Amino acid sequence: MKKTFLVLTLLTILFAACGNEDTVYSLNENEIFFNEQLSSLTMDGNECYVGTEDGRIYRYNVDMNIIDTIYSDYDFDRIYRVVKDKTDNHFWVGARNMGIYLCDFENDTLIVHEDYAIKVNRKEYSSYDIECEKSGIYVGTSNGLYKIPQDISYDSLTLLYPDDNHKSWYHSRPFVINCIEKYDERYLVASSDDGLMRIDMHNDEVVVI
């Protein structure tokens, strides 16, 4: 008798739950489908820049729920980062085995102004992360941490870490900096093959913590 009562009670609860179709719980999210693999997401206000494994860039307006395809004459490899430099409204694009590019967006077209070489591998390196600050553009690459001064007339990157005495540099091995974050108005932190690093933006001193 007790078992019969328990089964009837559970069935009553189940049917009541199924019949209550008006109750909808939502996080107010938009679900977007892409027909390809994504490699990066970068927010800029109400816009999101999406990079793909095949070197394409999309711009998604969050408020209007609209996606634009960004066209370019460049045949990019995997897009690691698309960052807007708020000091001058230029864009920086980091790609696999192609380095870093200074660009502008004109409507739905990517205009490339400059690409940047490094001492090792010249322009055949990957730019994993980009942090734009008043003191310069800090770039985490497959071959170390670099900086571009805000005077963008420079056509190459300045190596901040590792130095010429580091074992990876001496043996021409990759040295990956895959993430850079702003800690406060003076310091950045970065993850690297040597562990966590702190970058002093006042003098570009790099300390492994």
Side-chain angles (χ1 to χ4, degrees), residues 154-183:
Y154 287 78
D155 61 356
S156 63
L157 286 76
T158 301
L159 179 66
L160 299 184
Y161 191 93
D163 59 25
D164 293 350
N165 298 319
H166 193 278
K167 59 185 178 181
S168 67
W169 186 264
Y170 182 75
H171 295 290
S172 297
R173 293 186 209 156
F175 186 88
V176 175
I177 309 284
N178 55 22
C179 183
I180 306 172
E181 295 290 342
K182 187 172 184 177
Y183 179 73

Side-chain angles (χ1 to χ4, degrees), residues 138 145 147 160-161 186-188 197-208:
Y138 295 84
L145 176 67
K147 178 182 176 181
L160 299 184
Y161 191 93
R186 179 166 182 174
Y187 294 108
L188 302 173
M197 302 191 312
R198 186 188 69 191
I199 303 107
D200 189 333
M201 291 184 285
H202 288 185
N203 55 22
D204 290 335
E205 180 185 25
V206 179
V207 176
V208 178

Side-chain angles (χ1 to χ4, degrees), residues 9-19:
T9 302
L10 290 174
L11 287 174
T12 302
I13 294 172
L14 178 62
F15 285 124
C18 292

Side-chain angles (χ1 to χ4, degrees), residues 30-32 60-67:
N30 293 325
E31 191 170 8
I32 307 298
Y60 171 56
N61 187 297
V62 178
D63 294 338
M64 300 179 66
N65 196 24
I66 294 175
I67 299 175

Side-chain angles (χ1 to χ4, degrees), residues 29-40:
E29 295 178 346
N30 293 325
E31 191 170 8
I32 307 298
F33 293 94
F34 288 85
N35 227 359
E36 51 194 313
Q37 288 185 306
L38 308 184
S39 56
S40 66

